[in-house]
Amino acid sequence: MRLLALDTATEGCSAACLAGESLVERYQIEPQGHSRLLLTMVESVLAETASQRADLDAVAFDAGPGSFTGIRIGAGVAQGISLGLELPLVGVSSLMALAEGVVDTVATVAAVCAAIDARMGQVYWARLVRDPNEAALWRWHELPRVSGPEAVPALAVGEIGVGSGWDRYAEVLTGGAAVQWLPECFPRARQVAVIAQRLLDSGATGAWQAAMPVYVRD
């Protein structure tokens, strides 16, 4: 499978191409530069994997929650490529992508509380559990929502915090306890690609109509 993945939902902008066992990514923290950087990143990862757009089997994007403008940029590019080439399109949650990123640091992670800074004194957050019986290998313990950081439950034993919400509201989210959380982590296209491949391998159709942005906040 050759799969192109995009992530523009937060401060990070990234594109990745998964081609067999090879996963190539371009990633940059540039909150205001997503529209300028994304297509160049796409061409770069395709070139490094010796891929043409016509070689792609599927497209995936970070569906949110996150920046409304950022999500729309990634969704628009992904949908344009998907419709133009008649390819399956898969939307992946930014919070699940964050959880998948924790595996790169803590291979034995069993549970994650992912939180993204939602501005206005709030965070987008969810709790996920590693589950081999789920197609994505992650199960929602608490579904994505938006609230003040004080409403996020304290970390359970063995649970790890991750995301920009933790960077901004660590004192509130930890409640002063000595818990484990990973600083300066953002969802990335490489994580979106890995999760999307699992979903497609499990039989997901990738119908573009179903791959909608998830804003959480009205």
Side-chain angles (χ1 to χ4, degrees):
M1 176 179 290
R2 289 182 185 264
L3 187 151
L4 176 68
L6 313 176
D7 193 307
T8 56
T10 63
E11 289 88 334
C13 179
S14 56
C17 185
L18 181 62
E21 298 297 318
S22 175
L23 178 57
V24 173
E25 182 190 50
R26 297 291 181 270
Y27 172 73
Q28 187 171 330
I29 299 295
E30 187 69 45
Q32 304 301 321
H34 294 5
S35 59
R36 172 174 52 84
L37 294 170
L38 186 59
L39 290 177
T40 301
M41 289 180 168
V42 168
E43 297 304 327
S44 180
V45 297
L46 289 178
E48 187 168 339
T49 55
S51 304
Q52 302 292 325
R53 293 191 185 191
D55 297 328
L56 293 172
D57 298 300
V59 182
F61 73 103
D62 185 333
S67 159
F68 287 10
T69 300
I71 293 169
R72 287 195 290 269
I73 290 170
V77 172
Q79 190 176 78
I81 296 173
S82 169
L83 290 176
L85 298 175
E86 299 183 349
L87 298 174
L89 178 63
V90 178
V92 173
S93 169
S94 55
L95 297 167
M96 187 175 289
L98 275 171
E100 181 66 28
V102 175
V103 178
D104 295 336
T105 303
V106 185
T108 58
V109 60
V112 173
C113 179
I116 293 172
D117 183 6
R119 314 300 181 190
M120 297 190 291
Q122 295 183 315
V123 292
Y124 301 115
W125 65 275
R127 300 172 71 193
L128 301 99
V129 176
R130 194 79 167 160
D131 188 342
N133 295 315
E134 292 288 331
L137 299 188
W138 291 99
R139 170 171 51 83
W140 297 109
H141 182 56
E142 294 194 52
L143 290 169
R145 64 196 71 186
V146 62
S147 73
E150 68 282 352
V152 179
L155 291 184
V157 175
E159 191 173 22
I160 297 175
V162 67
S164 59
W166 284 87
D167 295 326
R168 183 161 187 179
Y169 299 107
E171 185 174 346
V172 177
L173 292 171
T174 63
V179 298
Q180 185 177 6
W181 65 277
L182 305 180
E184 299 180 2
C185 293
F186 299 95
R188 296 176 58 157
R190 64 186 303 111
Q191 299 145 9
V192 172
V194 168
I195 294 170
Q197 183 183 40
R198 290 174 188 157
L199 294 173
L200 290 166
D201 286 346
S202 72
T205 62
W208 69 267
Q209 301 94 329
M212 301 297 291
V214 178
Y215 296 120
V216 176
R217 176 188 283 154
D218 291 336

